[in-house]
Amino acid sequence: MFRKAVSSMSYPVFLDLVVTERIVCLTAYTEIEKHIFEADADPGDDQSESIRSLRFEGHFVPGQLPPKATGVYHDRLPCVQLGKPLVLGESLSQGLAGRYFKAASYSLLDLDDPSIRSGEKSDAAVWVCGVDYEGNLRPFYNAIAFETSTKMHPMRSVRNLGTPSNLFIYQPFASTPLIQCSMTLKYNLSLGYRSSVQGFFEAQDYNYLPDMDEAFPRLELISGGGEIGAGGQHEVTVQVVSAEGRDATLYLEETGGYLPMRRVRSINGKASFKVHALGLAAGDAFKVKLGFRNYSGLLDVPFEVVA
C-alpha cells in the first residue's frame, strides 16, 4: 500500500481528506477576502438548515465527515456545493494562518450507497474524484468500470469529463476497506492539503500514471499453455499476486477453442481452469485472456494446436 501526494493541481483549493473503512470524503476550501469573513454575522454557520425536503443532521466541521442527511434516497449525499462555513486559515493548516477560507464543495464515496451497483463495486476499482474549473469537486466514480470498453486510464477518463483529477483510490479487491487502499492525491502547492490518514509521501516527479499498476494485483502463470492436441483438453493454473493476499474472481476470454467455465475463483491465491481445443486443427493457435470483471487482459495464456 502507498499514499502519494503530487503537487500538480493548478486550481487553488485546500483539500481536506477524511477516510474510513467504507466512506471517503474530500472537501475543497477556497480562499476569500478578510472583509467577506468579517462581514458575515455568523461565519461558522453552515447549510444545515432545511433546504426544501433536504436537511443535514448537524454541522459541517473541518476534518470530519459531513453530517448525514434526510429527505434524500440515502443518508449520505455524494456531492454537494457548499459556500459555508467560513473558516480561519489556521483551522485548516498552520501554514495558512492569517488567511480566510470558505467550504466550497465536497465529494463523498459511500460503498453502502444503494445507487452504486455491483458493476462498480468490483475487484480492481479506481475511484476517482475531479475538480472543475470553478473549484467544485465532482462525484466519485469507478473509472475502470466506466471505461471498460476503451480501457482508458482513469486520469484521462476524468479529464475528458472536464474535471482534472485530484484523487485516485486504488481498491485492489472489492473486499478491501477504503482505509487500506493505495491513493494518489493531487494538491495545490500554494495551499496544500490535510488528511485523516497518515503515510502520504511527496512524489519525486509528476508521473503518477504507473501508480495504478503498482497498486493492483498481478496474475502469473504457474502451469499450462503451449501445445494442445486437436480436440484435446488442457488445464491451466494461475496465481493472484498481491500484498493484500485476498482471493478474487477471475474472468476468462478465449480467442479460440472452448472454455467450460468463464469465471473461476482463486483459493489461497491460486485458480485452475480447463481449456478444450474444440473444433480446432493442427497448426491453429489461440490464447486465453485472464483478468478481472472490468480490467481484462492482465495475463495471456497462448496455445498451439498439434496433431
Side-chain angles (χ1 to χ4, degrees), residues 11 15 26 39 41 43 52 66 115 121 148 192-193 218 241 254 295:
Y11 198 92
L15 295 176
L26 189 66
R52 296 183 181 176
S115 71
K121 293 192 288 188
T148 183
Y193 69 93
R218 304 190 319 275
V241 180
E254 79 280 15
Y295 195 54

Side-chain angles (χ1 to χ4, degrees), residues 23 55-57 66-78 106 108 110 112-114:
I23 298 174
R55 184 174 182 85
F56 288 101
E57 299 177 346
K68 292 184 177 181
T70 58
V72 291
Y73 74 97
H74 184 53
D75 59 7
R76 297 285 187 183
L77 289 177
Y106 77 74
L108 184 143
D110 182 355
D112 296 316
D113 183 339

Side-chain angles (χ1 to χ4, degrees), residues 83-148:
K84 294 191 80 172
L86 310 184
V87 298
L88 298 173
E90 51 264 38
S91 69
L92 303 177
S93 169
Q94 286 302 312
L96 301 177
R99 299 162 72 174
Y100 304 87
F101 292 82
K102 70 174 181 179
S105 62
Y106 77 74
S107 183
L108 184 143
L109 168 65
D110 182 355
L111 294 180
D112 296 316
D113 183 339
S115 71
I116 303 177
R117 307 303 293 273
S118 61
E120 280 193 280
K121 293 192 288 188
S122 59
D123 299 326
V126 180
W127 300 99
V128 185
C129 176
V131 59
D132 66 23
Y133 295 105
E134 295 180 352
N136 293 314
L137 297 173
R138 306 305 298 163
F140 278 98
Y141 71 102
N142 180 357
I144 295 294
F146 187 71
E147 298 292 352
T148 183

